[in-house]
Amino acid sequence: MSFDEFPKIVVTPPGPKAKGLIEREKKVVSQGLGVKLFPVVPERGYGALIEDVDGNVFIDFLAGAAAASTGYAHPKLVKEVQEQVSKIQHSMIGYTYSKRAIEVAEILAEKSPLEGPKILFGLSGSDAMDLLLKIARFSTRKPWVIAFIGAYHGQTYGATSIAAFQSSQKRGFSPLVPNVVWIPYPNPYRNPWRIDGYENPDELINAFLDYLEYYILAHVVPPDEVSVLIAEPIQGDAGIVVPPEGFFKELKKVLDEHSILFAMDEVQTGIGRTGKWFASEHFKVEPDFLAFGKGVASGMGLSGVIGKAELMDMTSGSALLTPAANPVISAAAYATLKIIEEEKLLENAQKVGSFIMKRLKEMQEEYEVIGDVRGKGLMIGVEIVKENKKPDPELTGKICWRAFELGLILPSYGMFGNVVRITPPLVITQEIAEKGLEIMEQALKDALAGKVMHKTVTWH
């Protein structure tokens, strides 16, 4: 299957079939399910393209929250899943053994930046973070956790408790898991120290480390009672925030001095998204734990924690989840990992990602409202601003809505709702990416000209 024409808008989206389904959902599904970025109802897909129920074909720069790593309907993935479900669809790895789950664990252990690790499996990035919390506290018997402002982490109680993306994420759910402290992420473009981290990266790193040591560890929480610090190597939902290159190496030195474990949340950044198997590799640092999810099974519901072997021996059954790494999902993960390797999708992420970044930097020179362009591989953010770098979520939403009308799924998010997110499937071609960027620029022009009346919804 393929689409001969892209994008292809046969009826102004959302079309009548999409509108009908959206109204039906409102009657039976809680709005707690999610933040509906676009009124789109996908029917089928191929590669980096999606066709909705009304026959519109969109270029997809979202990839289902960066999860559809091999795109849509990849023939190798389809074959593996179909063959497995025809044999046996479920065996519970908590009670029995699974050849497919073992194979996936072996590949992940080989590809991870940890030496000789062990693995636990979950279902989503959220419960992977819950597992990580349990492992860190169990292995250290220390109660406190340090996390970063701007981190999303997930929606289970544990993940919500360590998240600090939007305050609305926690409204009405207290009491949450206690003993969590948050610190600012060293965003080179926008940080509380007002340091230009692009021009002065070492100054930004030192400001952060001073804050951590002389304020947090000296006055807020006793360092000998901190089990783990959890970080995203590149903050995702906060707006694709890339820290200074030497940040994590310097941070790890401080953590080691205080015997605090170091965990990377790679649910969004892992499995080739940034042009390496795991984004931690960009920063030349080895964490004690690494959480994965999203793209590992092309969005089909597998996650987990990779950790140093000596830290992973928990009480038998204390990390048991009935459907985790079931044979069908493990088949999807096995196929995904093989596709990424055999079809050189890491290299494709680097190549197409570099092309997108170059084109966006050129647009930045032409349009003053583009304040920052950042990212690695196919994880890219474009920050839209007013004068004096003030966030402009209104214009951002209009750009993304106009792009949607023109056939491009282009989400807006970030801590202030003013970042355009570009996380397409890893299989995207330069041809499709170029067409998507043309649409994005046209959408920007139309929004600046006052031609766009609607805007996309984002987190608030």
Side-chain angles (χ1 to χ4, degrees), residues 106-119 277-278 281 286 290 306-307:
E106 288 173 338
I107 296 171
L108 289 171
E110 176 198 347
K111 302 301 183 187
S112 83
L114 282 69
E115 187 174 346
K118 286 188 176 181
I119 292 169
W277 281 104
F278 295 96
E281 299 172 62
E286 181 182 354
L290 186 155
I306 305 171

Side-chain angles (χ1 to χ4, degrees), residues 14-15 93 131 138 144 146 199 242 246 253 283 290 318 373 399 424-425:
I93 62 170
L131 288 173
F138 185 85
W144 285 92
I146 298 176
E199 292 291 328
V242 184
K253 292 176 185 177
F283 302 98
L290 186 155
S318 59
V373 175
I399 293 167

Side-chain angles (χ1 to χ4, degrees), residues 369-380:
V369 296
I370 298 180
D372 195 25
V373 175
R374 56 200 181 228
K376 289 186 182 293
L378 288 172
M379 187 173 181
I380 297 168

Side-chain angles (χ1 to χ4, degrees), residues 8-31:
K8 180 181 177 184
I9 302 300
V10 297
V11 57
T12 301
K17 291 181 179 179
K19 288 178 180 177
L21 286 162
I22 289 167
E23 289 305 311
R24 285 168 59 185
E25 182 186 281
K26 288 178 180 177
K27 295 177 181 177
V28 292
V29 178
S30 166
Q31 67 178 15

